[in-house]
Amino acid sequence: ETGVTQTPRHLVMGMTNKKSLKCEQHLGHNAMYWYKQSAKKPLELMFVYNFKEQTENNSVPSRFSPECPNSSHLFLHLHTLQPEDSALYLCASSPQPDRGESNYGYTFGSGTRLTVV
Amino acid sequence: DAKTTQPPSMDCAEGRAANLPCNHSTISGNEYVYWYRQIHSQGPQYIIHGLKNNETNEMASLIITEDRKSSTLILPHATLRDTAVYYCIVRGNNDYKLSFGAGTTVTVRA
């Protein structure tokens, strides 16, 4: 257990379904992230939240909709996905860099393995 | 824009030291070198990081050259459970983003 919990661990959904991925951390971190990892590809940063505010959206299609209600929780709402969206979705958190800490190490969750059929 | 260059793969014998190289010739003064690893289908795991001094923790040692243009991660006694993809990442002091490249796939063999 890393301190970042993702649910569900596995999800199979149809292209017309709506589902949500959940991420929770109680490490006192203020930044949270969604990454996508497709088969045999490097991790791709999708969204960044800093103090609940979205600070980065890396040209992610609108069928992915993030939500960060507080610094401890992050959601990724999914709707009308395509089979090519099948991937491992990883959540991570990190401390707030402006505090001058030298270790901005990320803590990752175990991921949600998503299959779109 | 890749900031680091790593070999795509390497093999290592169980019980021996594994030395993983990383080139970061364009590193700037306030950028740290981080190492993460990802065991199959899990989230990446932090290993170690450093600025200019060599660092050691319970998992590994990090050797950074004096000019900071390259570094080596050393796993002192590799085990089969160290088989993973190892990522070398350069990140600035106030940059909260972590960008992953392809990493080095390390296979530890019995």
Side-chain angles (χ1 to χ4, degrees):
Chain A
E1 185 59 54
T2 66
V4 177
T5 303
Q6 288 189 246
T7 53
R9 291 296 305 273
H10 300 272
L11 178 62
V12 179
M13 61 184 289
M15 290 189 284
T16 58
N17 291 159
K18 290 184 180 181
K19 296 286 184 183
S20 296
L21 310 184
K22 180 182 177 182
C23 177
E24 184 173 355
Q25 61 90 7
H26 295 287
L27 301 170
H29 291 169
N30 292 309
M32 296 188 77
Y33 314 80
W34 280 116
Y35 281 84
K36 174 185 177 182
Q37 188 172 33
S38 302
K40 299 189 179 180
K41 286 187 176 181
L43 280 79
E44 302 171 54
L45 180 63
M46 299 175 72
F47 299 105
V48 180
Y49 277 82
N50 201 16
F51 284 104
K52 303 188 299 177
E53 299 298 319
Q54 187 180 125
T55 56
E56 186 142 345
N57 174 340
N58 274 344
S59 303
V60 180
S62 59
R63 58 185 184 269
F64 295 91
S65 174
E67 178 190 2
C68 188
N70 54 61
S71 293
S72 298
H73 294 86
L74 185 64
F75 296 89
L76 188 62
H77 304 300
L78 316 170
H79 64 96
T80 60
L81 294 193
Q82 304 298 312
E84 58 265 29
D85 296 322
S86 298
L88 179 68
Y89 289 84
L90 290 158
C91 172
S93 69
S94 73
Q96 167 59 22
D98 289 349
R99 291 169 63 188
E101 298 170 8
S102 64
N103 178 11
Y104 304 143
Y106 280 32
T107 301
F108 281 84
S110 298
T112 294
R113 174 70 61 187
L114 174 67
T115 303
V116 182
V117 297
Chain B
D1 54 339
K3 290 188 174 183
T4 65
T5 304
Q6 298 178 253
S9 64
M10 62 183 294
D11 284 3
C12 174
E14 186 180 22
R16 304 295 293 269
N19 297 314
L20 284 62
C22 179
N23 286 324
H24 31 80
S25 58
T26 61
I27 193 170
S28 60
N30 69 344
E31 289 183 317
Y32 287 74
V33 179
Y34 283 80
W35 284 84
Y36 281 77
R37 74 178 183 184
Q38 187 176 22
I39 295 170
H40 181 63
S41 290
Q42 296 181 23
Q45 175 191 23
Y46 166 82
I47 301 173
I48 199 166
H49 77 288
L51 183 63
K52 54 184 178 182
N53 297 323
N54 297 338
E55 303 286 346
T56 296
N57 63 20
E58 65 278 3
M59 289 182 69
S61 295
L62 175 61
I63 309 298
I64 302 174
T65 58
E66 194 168 340
D67 64 7
R68 303 209 322 123
K69 292 185 177 183
S70 65
S71 60
T72 302
L73 179 75
I74 301 172
L75 307 178
H77 304 286
T79 70
L80 299 179
R81 287 184 292 183
D82 291 323
T83 292
V85 180
Y86 287 76
Y87 300 99
C88 171
I89 300 167
V90 165
R91 187 171 72 162
N93 202 30
N94 288 313
D95 182 2
Y96 50 79
K97 288 189 297 181
L98 205 60
S99 298
F100 289 81
T104 296
T105 299
V106 173
T107 304
V108 181
R109 303 190 187 278

